[in-house]
Amino acid sequence: MKIITVKDPLAGGKAALEIFKAAKERGVKTFGLATGGTPETTYAELVKSDLDFQDCVSINLDEYVGLPADHDQSYAYYMHEHLFKAKPFAASYLPNGMASDLATECARYDQIIADHHVGLQLLGIGRNGHIGFNEPGSPFDGTTHEVALTKSTIVANARFFDREADVPKQAISMGIGSIMQADQILLEAYGEKKADAVAKMVQGPITETVPASILQRHPDAIVIVDEAAAAKLK
């Protein structure tokens, strides 16, 4: 696991841009993408760059259950606003949170992942060590599945909604087994509130109680952290 420590999230976005550039140069055609506050500086740098993704495919990690794609807190909307409207891809896939049969939707998404091998997967990390919406206890060999969000994740995401009660309680998430199939993984973490999770991910035992710890076993995992998130690394 390669650790890159930067001053702040702005510097982190610039470092991530270089990793995206290198991926494009070596011919990566499928990018796994993430949402949330963490990758915003990365997407801002991609938008400003001269990179062209019109011959590429994107596959997102997850989506809330019960939010239509045009809802301003859906991840489909987030991706359009932060990246796709400026940098369109040939095809962009997200789980359908409005699907009437979630099991069928999960199977459909697994087939999309199988059909488009991810060359670079972007991740954030939750305070409880989750990646995607794979909460503590998620199996390391998991595929796309319906998730009941933990209280800590709901509280963390409440800042994006008018009220905590408005935060969806379920999501569809790519599984850890699928995430680990990517050729390269880039995880970003910023701020002191992520320091515990980062330390456990990098230096703790590999355990399903800290889902991100499995990245210790990936052959090409890069972690970009700012000084605050790196504070508890030895």
Side-chain angles (χ1 to χ4, degrees):
M1 191 179 291
K2 178 182 180 182
I3 311 298
I4 300 173
T5 303
V6 296
K7 181 180 179 181
D8 54 31
L10 290 175
K14 294 180 186 300
L17 171 62
E18 295 306 311
I19 293 167
F20 271 81
K21 283 183 176 178
K24 281 283 292 178
E25 287 171 1
R26 67 174 181 268
V28 169
K29 293 296 185 184
T30 301
F31 292 83
L33 301 179
T35 54
T38 299
E40 287 183 5
T41 59
T42 295
Y43 292 146
E45 291 296 328
L46 290 175
V47 167
K48 291 188 294 183
S49 77
D50 59 1
L51 291 181
D52 185 350
F53 294 99
Q54 293 186 81
D55 61 344
C56 298
V57 170
S58 70
I59 302 178
N60 263 72
L61 287 168
D62 42 32
E63 178 61 280
Y64 286 121
V65 169
L67 294 189
D70 61 356
H71 189 285
D72 65 4
Q73 292 304 326
S74 76
Y75 289 158
Y77 185 92
Y78 172 105
M79 291 306 306
H80 178 264
E81 291 300 305
H82 285 90
L83 186 63
F84 295 156
K85 70 180 181 182
K87 294 287 184 178
F89 286 66
S92 293
Y93 298 103
L94 290 95
N96 176 12
M98 297 299 290
S100 58
D101 185 332
L102 294 180
T104 299
E105 174 59 16
C106 290
R108 181 190 75 89
Y109 211 65
D110 280 335
Q111 188 60 53
I112 290 170
I113 296 167
D115 291 343
H116 302 87
H117 182 74
V118 174
L120 174 62
Q121 175 67 59
L122 180 63
L123 298 175
I125 184 172
R127 297 177 200 173
N128 61 5
H130 75 237
I131 48 177
F133 271 132
N134 294 286
E135 301 284 10
S138 297
F140 284 153
D141 61 354
T143 56
T144 306
H145 58 291
E146 182 183 354
V147 181
L149 303 185
T150 64
K151 178 65 174 178
S152 65
T153 297
I154 291 169
V155 169
N157 288 352
R159 69 189 188 277
F160 300 116
F161 292 82
D162 292 335
R163 302 174 302 155
E164 183 180 316
D166 295 334
V167 182
K169 306 302 187 289
Q170 295 172 297
I172 297 172
S173 180
M174 188 187 297
I176 295 174
S178 301
I179 291 170
M180 289 291 287
Q181 291 175 13
D183 292 332
Q184 184 178 61
I185 292 176
L186 169 60
L187 184 144
E188 297 180 63
Y190 306 122
E192 62 182 358
K193 292 180 179 178
K194 299 293 179 74
D196 278 334
V198 168
K200 290 176 181 177
M201 170 183 67
V202 176
Q203 299 170 338
I206 298 173
T207 170
E208 291 178 353
T209 61
V210 182
S213 65
I214 191 61
L215 298 182
Q216 295 178 38
R217 291 183 180 161
H218 195 278
D220 191 2
I222 302 170
V223 178
I224 298 176
V225 286
D226 65 359
E227 293 168 357
K232 296 189 178 181
L233 291 174
K234 298 176 182 178

